[in-house]
Amino acid sequence: MIKHASFLFIFLILSCLSKANIVILNGLTHHYKVENGQVYKGKISIENISSQPQNVKLFLQDFTYQSDGTANYTTPDKAKNEKSNAGWIRLNTNLVSLKGKEKTEIFYEITIPEQDPDEGSHWSVIIVEPVEDIKPDNDRQGVNITSIVRYAIQIITDVNSEKANSDLKFEGVKIEKEDGRKFLKVAITNTGTLYCKPTVTAEIYHKKNGQKIGNFSSQAMGLLPKTSKSFLIDLDKIPPAGYNAVLIATDEDDNAFALNVELEVKND
């Protein structure tokens, strides 16, 4: 089973011109429920949307992320990251050459160990990175380096998922402005052992008269064990005042986690 989610990071070397010639056609999260000793096959579909030839390299990395927006990509190391599945994954190639407008598929196999791995989610990412030539700049000394768009494709394997669970914990709540709009930013950590895809809903009541203003929800986002993300809830249409709110984080299995908070929505 494969679920799709958007997860793209942009690696800026010296940003004078961004070149996103490569696109991934079949999703950036591949999610499997697995059994010991079994082999699972998958593929990554890539297209070169430019008219120029493009070389692309692929390699595995471990990674984690936190609610402050930081992400950590490291060389796979089971000793340092016991939940890494990078050692279970084999790519059929680490380098492909695409003609202009050409599509291709890279295949991979996931071999689950015979001995029982820890229950819950194991994960790593396959990095898909265009190989850019560094070209001399005739008008200036030195070289002209452009920015490169790299893709991180999550490979998540759930081992004995019926024995594992997600466990969501509220880490912080604050109101912030982004792009001129007011948002409730709710930081949540998954302290459990299973990947989940929660949504956060805010039931908001006027503090003075107790009247319910409404229910407001975030987008669902994937959350790996021992990681955290900030879920944004649009409050731009709520008038300035004091409010009481019940925050409810619900995963796709309808496990719910609640928190009571007070909110102060201001003019600025």
Side-chain angles (χ1 to χ4, degrees):
M1 177 179 64
I2 296 179
K3 296 180 182 179
H4 304 301
S6 294
F7 186 82
L8 164 66
F9 72 92
I10 300 178
F11 178 57
L12 296 178
I13 301 177
L14 258 176
S15 182
C16 52
L17 177 63
S18 181
K19 301 182 71 175
N21 294 338
I22 299 298
V23 295
I24 306 299
L25 302 176
N26 65 328
L28 298 175
T29 296
H30 298 190
H31 187 191
Y32 300 85
K33 295 186 183 296
V34 301
E35 296 181 2
N36 299 338
Q38 300 299 307
V39 177
Y40 300 84
K41 297 183 179 182
K43 65 182 180 181
I44 301 169
S45 299
I46 302 176
E47 181 180 3
N48 178 10
I49 60 175
S50 77
S51 57
Q52 301 299 316
Q54 179 69 69
N55 294 324
V56 180
K57 66 178 179 179
L58 301 96
F59 56 96
L60 284 153
Q61 286 197 316
D62 289 336
F63 89 115
T64 59
Y65 48 79
Q66 301 301 326
S67 59
D68 61 4
T70 59
N72 187 28
Y73 295 83
T74 58
T75 301
D77 188 341
K78 190 71 172 178
K80 295 181 179 179
N81 179 12
E82 62 182 13
K83 291 297 185 178
S84 173
N85 63 7
W88 306 349
I89 301 170
R90 293 291 179 268
L91 293 161
N92 73 324
T93 183
N94 294 106
L95 183 67
V96 293
S97 297
L98 293 173
K99 299 175 182 177
K101 306 299 183 181
E102 184 180 6
K103 299 178 183 179
T104 193
E105 293 177 338
I106 290 90
F107 296 92
Y108 61 83
E109 286 188 350
I110 310 169
T111 303
I112 311 303
E114 288 281 358
Q115 292 185 340
D116 193 11
D118 293 339
E119 63 189 33
S121 298
H122 299 68
W123 68 92
S124 59
V125 292
I126 297 173
I127 304 295
V128 179
E129 178 181 315
V131 180
E132 294 290 343
D133 295 329
I134 301 178
K135 300 178 180 180
D137 189 333
N138 294 328
D139 298 325
R140 291 179 293 181
Q141 292 183 348
V143 296
N144 179 27
I145 303 177
T146 61
S147 61
I148 299 172
V149 177
R150 309 163 79 197
Y151 294 87
I153 300 172
Q154 297 182 89
I155 309 296
I156 303 169
T157 48
D158 292 344
V159 178
N160 294 328
S161 58
E162 68 281 357
K163 298 179 181 179
N165 65 285
S166 59
D167 189 1
L168 304 180
K169 179 181 178 182
F170 292 92
E171 294 288 353
V173 180
K174 57 184 176 181
I175 296 175
E176 289 189 351
K177 268 196 169 183
E178 291 197 8
D179 298 325
R181 301 177 65 85
K182 291 191 292 287
F183 287 91
L184 183 64
K185 181 180 284 188
V186 183
I188 292 181
T189 298
N190 181 2
T191 61
T193 57
L194 192 66
Y195 170 82
C196 65
K197 197 173 180 180
T199 301
V200 180
T201 298
E203 297 179 0
I204 299 180
Y205 302 83
H206 203 288
K207 186 178 289 187
K208 286 186 177 181
N209 56 27
Q211 181 181 357
K212 186 174 182 177
I213 304 300
N215 292 340
F216 304 85
S217 296
S218 72
Q219 291 184 341
M221 292 194 294
L223 194 56
L224 289 161
K226 314 306 178 187
T227 64
S228 62
K229 282 184 178 179
S230 288
F231 292 74
L232 299 182
I233 299 174
D234 193 342
L235 299 184
D236 209 55
K237 294 183 179 180
I238 296 180
Y243 299 94
N244 294 316
V246 180
L247 303 181
I248 304 173
T250 308
D251 65 21
E252 60 268 48
D253 293 325
D254 293 327
N255 298 312
F257 306 82
L259 177 70
N260 294 314
V261 296
E262 294 184 357
L263 302 176
E264 188 69 32
V265 180
K266 300 180 180 180
N267 276 313
D268 51 327

